Coordinates of all heavy atoms in Angstrom, one line a residue:
R1005 N 60.8 138.7 93.4 CA 60.0 139.2 92.3 C 60.9 139.7 91.1 O 60.6 139.5 90.0 CB 59.0 140.3 92.7 CG 58.0 139.8 93.7 CD 57.2 140.9 94.3 NE 56.5 141.7 93.3 CZ 56.1 142.9 93.4 NH1 56.3 143.6 94.6 NH2 55.4 143.6 92.5
I1006 N 62.0 140.4 91.5 CA 63.0 140.8 90.5 C 63.5 139.6 89.8 O 63.7 139.6 88.5 CB 64.1 141.6 91.1 CG1 63.6 143.0 91.6 CG2 65.3 141.8 90.2 CD1 64.6 143.8 92.4
S1007 N 63.9 138.6 90.5 CA 64.5 137.4 89.9 C 63.5 136.7 89.0 O 63.8 136.3 87.9 CB 64.8 136.4 91.0 OG 65.3 135.2 90.5
S1008 N 62.2 136.7 89.4 CA 61.2 136.1 88.6 C 61.0 136.9 87.3 O 60.8 136.3 86.2 CB 59.9 135.9 89.3 OG 58.8 135.5 88.5
Y1009 N 61.0 138.2 87.4 CA 60.7 139.1 86.3 C 61.8 139.0 85.3 O 61.6 138.8 84.1 CB 60.6 140.5 86.8 CG 60.2 141.5 85.7 CD1 58.9 141.5 85.2 CD2 61.1 142.3 85.1 CE1 58.5 142.4 84.2 CE2 60.8 143.2 84.1 CZ 59.5 143.3 83.7 OH 59.1 144.1 82.7
T1010 N 63.1 139.0 85.7 CA 64.2 138.9 84.8 C 64.3 137.5 84.2 O 64.7 137.4 83.0 CB 65.5 139.2 85.5 OG1 65.7 138.4 86.7 CG2 65.6 140.7 86.0
A1011 N 63.9 136.5 84.9 CA 63.9 135.2 84.3 C 62.9 135.1 83.2 O 63.1 134.5 82.2 CB 63.6 134.1 85.4
S1012 N 61.7 135.8 83.4 CA 60.7 135.8 82.4 C 61.2 136.5 81.1 O 61.0 136.1 80.0 CB 59.5 136.5 82.9 OG 58.5 136.6 81.9
L1013 N 61.9 137.6 81.3 CA 62.5 138.3 80.2 C 63.5 137.5 79.5 O 63.5 137.4 78.2 CB 63.1 139.7 80.6 CG 62.1 140.8 81.0 CD1 63.0 142.0 81.5 CD2 61.2 141.2 79.9
S1014 N 64.4 136.8 80.3 CA 65.4 136.0 79.7 C 64.8 134.8 78.9 O 65.4 134.4 77.9 CB 66.4 135.5 80.8 OG 67.0 136.6 81.4
S1015 N 63.7 134.3 79.4 CA 63.1 133.2 78.7 C 62.7 133.5 77.3 O 62.7 132.6 76.4 CB 61.9 132.6 79.5 OG 60.8 133.6 79.4
S1016 N 62.4 134.7 77.0 CA 62.1 135.1 75.6 C 63.2 134.9 74.7 O 63.1 134.7 73.5 CB 61.5 136.5 75.6 OG 62.6 137.4 75.9
V1017 N 64.5 135.0 75.2 CA 65.7 134.9 74.4 C 66.0 133.4 74.3 O 66.6 133.0 73.2 CB 66.8 135.6 75.0 CG1 68.1 135.4 74.3 CG2 66.5 137.1 75.1
V1018 N 65.7 132.6 75.3 CA 66.1 131.2 75.3 C 64.9 130.3 75.1 O 65.0 129.0 75.2 CB 66.9 130.8 76.5 CG1 68.1 131.6 76.7 CG2 66.0 131.0 77.8
D1019 N 63.8 130.8 74.8 CA 62.6 130.0 74.5 C 62.7 129.6 73.0 O 62.0 130.1 72.1 CB 61.3 130.8 74.7 CG 60.1 129.9 74.6 OD1 60.2 128.7 74.5 OD2 59.0 130.5 74.4
Y1020 N 63.6 128.6 72.7 CA 64.0 128.3 71.4 C 62.9 127.5 70.6 O 62.4 126.6 71.2 CB 65.3 127.5 71.4 CG 66.4 128.2 72.0 CD1 67.1 127.6 73.1 CD2 66.9 129.5 71.6 CE1 68.2 128.3 73.6 CE2 67.9 130.1 72.1 CZ 68.6 129.5 73.2 OH 69.7 130.1 73.7
P1021 N 62.6 127.9 69.4 CA 61.7 127.1 68.6 C 62.3 125.9 68.0 O 63.6 125.9 67.9 CB 61.3 128.1 67.5 CG 62.5 129.0 67.3 CD 63.0 129.1 68.7
T1022 N 61.6 124.9 67.7 CA 62.1 123.7 67.1 C 61.4 123.5 65.7 O 60.2 123.8 65.6 CB 61.9 122.4 68.0 OG1 60.5 122.3 68.2 CG2 62.6 122.5 69.3
E1023 N 62.2 123.1 64.8 CA 61.7 122.7 63.4 C 62.4 121.4 63.0 O 63.6 121.3 63.1 CB 62.1 123.8 62.4 CG 61.5 125.2 62.7 CD 62.0 126.3 61.7 OE1 62.5 125.9 60.7 OE2 61.9 127.5 62.1
H1024 N 61.6 120.5 62.6 CA 62.0 119.2 62.0 C 63.0 118.5 63.0 O 63.9 117.9 62.6 CB 62.8 119.5 60.7 CG 62.1 120.4 59.8 ND1 60.9 120.0 59.2 CD2 62.4 121.7 59.3 CE1 60.5 121.0 58.4 NE2 61.3 122.0 58.5
G1025 N 62.7 118.7 64.3 CA 63.4 118.0 65.3 C 64.7 118.7 65.7 O 65.5 118.2 66.5
R1026 N 65.0 119.9 65.2 CA 66.2 120.7 65.5 C 65.8 122.0 66.2 O 64.7 122.5 65.9 CB 67.0 121.0 64.3 CG 67.5 119.7 63.5 CD 68.4 118.8 64.4 NE 69.6 119.4 64.9 CZ 70.8 119.3 64.3 NH1 70.9 118.6 63.1 NH2 71.8 119.9 64.8
R1027 N 66.6 122.5 67.1 CA 66.4 123.7 67.8 C 67.1 124.9 67.2 O 68.2 124.8 66.8 CB 66.9 123.5 69.3 CG 66.4 124.6 70.2 CD 67.1 124.4 71.6 NE 68.5 124.8 71.5 CZ 69.4 124.6 72.5 NH1 69.0 124.0 73.6 NH2 70.7 124.9 72.4
Y1028 N 66.4 126.0 67.2 CA 66.9 127.2 66.5 C 66.8 128.4 67.5 O 66.1 128.4 68.5 CB 66.1 127.5 65.2 CG 66.4 126.5 64.2 CD1 65.6 125.3 64.1 CD2 67.4 126.6 63.2 CE1 65.8 124.4 63.2 CE2 67.6 125.7 62.2 CZ 66.8 124.5 62.2 OH 67.0 123.6 61.3
H1029 N 67.5 129.5 67.1 CA 67.5 130.7 68.0 C 66.2 131.4 68.0 O 65.4 131.2 67.0 CB 68.6 131.7 67.5 CG 68.3 132.3 66.2 ND1 67.7 133.6 66.1 CD2 68.4 131.9 64.9 CE1 67.5 133.9 64.9 NE2 68.0 132.9 64.1
S1030 N 65.9 132.1 69.0 CA 64.6 132.8 69.1 C 64.7 134.3 69.0 O 63.8 135.0 68.4 CB 63.9 132.5 70.5 OG 64.7 132.9 71.6
F1031 N 65.9 134.9 69.4 CA 66.1 136.3 69.2 C 66.3 136.6 67.7 O 67.1 136.0 67.1 CB 67.3 136.8 70.0 CG 67.6 138.2 69.9 CD1 66.8 139.2 70.4 CD2 68.8 138.7 69.3 CE1 67.0 140.5 70.3 CE2 69.1 140.0 69.2 CZ 68.2 140.9 69.7
R1032 N 65.5 137.5 67.2 CA 65.5 137.8 65.7 C 65.3 136.5 65.0 O 66.1 136.2 64.1 CB 66.7 138.5 65.3 CG 67.0 139.8 66.1 CD 66.1 140.9 65.6 NE 66.1 142.1 66.5 CZ 66.9 143.1 66.5 NH1 67.9 143.1 65.6 NH2 66.9 144.1 67.3
S1033 N 64.3 135.8 65.3 CA 64.1 134.4 64.8 C 64.1 134.4 63.3 O 63.4 135.2 62.6 CB 62.7 133.9 65.3 OG 62.5 132.6 64.9
G1034 N 64.8 133.4 62.7 CA 64.8 133.2 61.3 C 65.9 133.9 60.6 O 66.2 133.6 59.4
S1035 N 66.7 134.8 61.3 CA 67.8 135.5 60.6 C 69.0 134.6 60.5 O 70.0 135.0 59.7 CB 68.1 136.8 61.3 OG 68.4 136.6 62.7
Y1036 N 69.1 133.5 61.2 CA 70.2 132.6 61.1 C 69.7 131.2 60.7 O 68.7 130.8 61.3 CB 71.0 132.5 62.5 CG 72.2 131.6 62.5 CD1 73.2 131.9 61.6 CD2 72.3 130.6 63.4 CE1 74.4 131.1 61.7 CE2 73.4 129.8 63.4 CZ 74.4 130.0 62.5 OH 75.5 129.2 62.6
I1037 N 70.4 130.6 59.7 CA 69.8 129.4 59.1 C 70.2 128.1 59.8 O 69.5 127.1 59.4 CB 70.2 129.4 57.6 CG1 71.7 129.3 57.5 CG2 69.6 130.6 56.9 CD1 72.2 129.3 56.0
L1038 N 71.1 128.1 60.7 CA 71.5 126.9 61.3 C 71.0 126.7 62.7 O 70.6 127.7 63.3 CB 73.1 126.8 61.3 CG 73.8 126.9 60.0 CD1 75.3 126.7 60.2 CD2 73.3 125.8 59.0
P1039 N 70.9 125.5 63.2 CA 70.4 125.2 64.6 C 71.3 125.8 65.6 O 72.4 126.2 65.4 CB 70.3 123.7 64.6 CG 70.6 123.2 63.3 CD 71.3 124.2 62.5
N1040 N 70.9 125.7 66.9 CA 71.7 126.0 68.0 C 71.6 125.0 69.1 O 71.9 125.3 70.3 CB 71.4 127.4 68.6 CG 70.0 127.5 69.3 OD1 69.3 126.5 69.3 ND2 69.7 128.6 69.9
D1041 N 71.2 123.8 68.8 CA 71.1 122.7 69.8 C 72.4 122.1 70.1 O 73.5 122.5 69.6 CB 70.1 121.7 69.3 CG 70.4 121.2 67.9 OD1 71.5 121.2 67.5 OD2 69.4 120.7 67.2
E1042 N 72.4 121.1 71.0 CA 73.6 120.5 71.6 C 74.4 119.9 70.5 O 75.7 120.0 70.5 CB 73.3 119.5 72.6 CG 72.9 120.1 74.0 CD 71.5 120.7 74.0 OE1 70.7 120.4 73.0 OE2 71.2 121.5 74.9
S1043 N 73.8 119.2 69.5 CA 74.5 118.6 68.4 C 75.3 119.7 67.6 O 76.5 119.5 67.2 CB 73.6 117.9 67.5 OG 73.0 116.8 68.1
E1044 N 74.6 120.8 67.4 CA 75.3 121.9 66.6 C 76.4 122.5 67.4 O 77.4 122.9 66.9 CB 74.2 122.9 66.2 CG 74.8 124.1 65.5 CD 75.5 123.8 64.1 OE1 75.4 122.7 63.7 OE2 76.0 124.8 63.5
M1045 N 76.2 122.7 68.7 CA 77.2 123.2 69.6 C 78.5 122.4 69.6 O 79.6 122.9 69.5 CB 76.7 123.4 71.0 CG 75.6 124.5 71.1 SD 74.7 124.4 72.7 CE 76.0 124.7 73.9
D1046 N 78.3 121.1 69.6 CA 79.4 120.1 69.5 C 80.2 120.3 68.2 O 81.4 120.3 68.1 CB 79.0 118.7 69.7 CG 78.6 118.4 71.1 OD1 78.9 119.2 72.1 OD2 77.9 117.4 71.3
R1047 N 79.4 120.4 67.1 CA 80.0 120.6 65.8 C 80.8 121.9 65.7 O 81.8 122.0 65.1 CB 78.9 120.6 64.7 CG 79.5 120.5 63.3 CD 78.4 120.8 62.3 NE 77.9 122.2 62.3 CZ 78.5 123.2 61.7 NH1 79.7 123.0 61.0 NH2 78.0 124.4 61.8

Side-chain angles (χ1 to χ4, degrees):
R1005 294 171 63 201
I1006 290 173
S1007 177
S1008 175
Y1009 185 76
T1010 54
S1012 177
L1013 288 177
S1014 299
S1015 69
S1016 66
V1017 175
V1018 298
D1019 186 16
Y1020 301 124
T1022 58
E1023 298 176 19
H1024 314 293
R1026 300 301 298 265
R1027 190 187 73 188
Y1028 294 85
H1029 70 98
S1030 57
F1031 180 65
R1032 304 287 167 85
S1033 182
S1035 56
Y1036 182 59
I1037 59 179
L1038 299 184
N1040 70 356
D1041 51 25
E1042 284 72 16
S1043 295
E1044 176 65 4
M1045 291 165 64
D1046 290 343
R1047 188 192 70 83

